[in-house]
Amino acid sequence: MFPAMNPAISYMIASVQRSGTHLLCSILRSTGIAGSPEEYFLSKPGETWEKRWGTPSREAYVQHILRQNTAANGVFGTVVMWSYFEPMLQMLQEIPAYKNLNGAQLLVPVVHAPQHILSFSQTR
């Protein structure tokens, strides 16, 4: 766990299941300087983040994950699988401050203007 702070630099790993993302994330976490990338925006159908994680609001949940998972050097990382990318955007859009934003516009204020979006796909 990192000291509570907001990110200065963010990145999002956009991926598909079974493509080595969890291995990549464990390597990034082990550096101690790349934040603690996890699937923070995952939710089951009919479930909200604030309900799943017991926060008072969706906005409070987003602020909590940013503060608690940003490395001391200001780096925050997250993972989003393609299968729930659209539902994640819809849930973010339900936050009053973000209701007029869509698509990539939502990622700028929420994930603090991610510097890198990495995409990995499985080859068969």
Side-chain angles (χ1 to χ4, degrees):
M1 184 75 58
F2 297 104
M5 64 184 303
N6 285 318
I9 298 172
S10 299
Y11 64 92
M12 177 178 286
I13 300 170
S15 189
V16 295
Q17 284 81 2
R18 314 277 317 148
S19 61
T21 307
H22 289 282
L23 175 60
L24 173 62
C25 290
S26 68
I27 293 167
L28 289 167
R29 268 191 305 281
S30 73
T31 68
I33 61 170
S36 184
E38 295 280 348
E39 292 183 71
Y40 300 115
F41 299 107
L42 173 65
S43 63
K44 296 175 183 170
E47 179 181 67
T48 62
W49 304 317
E50 62 274 21
K51 183 177 174 183
R52 181 176 184 188
W53 299 107
T55 57
S57 70
R58 193 164 302 160
E59 187 172 13
Y61 171 74
V62 171
Q63 290 303 313
H64 174 76
I65 64 163
L66 291 172
R67 282 193 313 272
Q68 294 300 313
N69 297 291
T70 298
N73 63 352
V75 176
F76 172 79
T78 189
V79 177
V80 178
M81 296 294 168
W82 182 248
S83 62
Y84 63 85
F85 189 79
E86 283 296 323
M88 173 198 72
L89 292 177
Q90 290 170 353
M91 287 180 71
L92 289 172
Q93 216 169 15
E94 292 171 6
I95 296 172
Y98 309 136
K99 70 180 179 181
N100 293 322
L101 303 175
N102 57 49
Q105 295 173 330
L106 279 165
L107 300 178
V108 173
V110 174
V111 192
H112 296 270
Q115 297 292 318
H116 305 284
I117 298 178
L118 308 173
S119 180
F120 293 87
S121 63
Q122 180 178 355
T123 57
R124 293 179 188 238

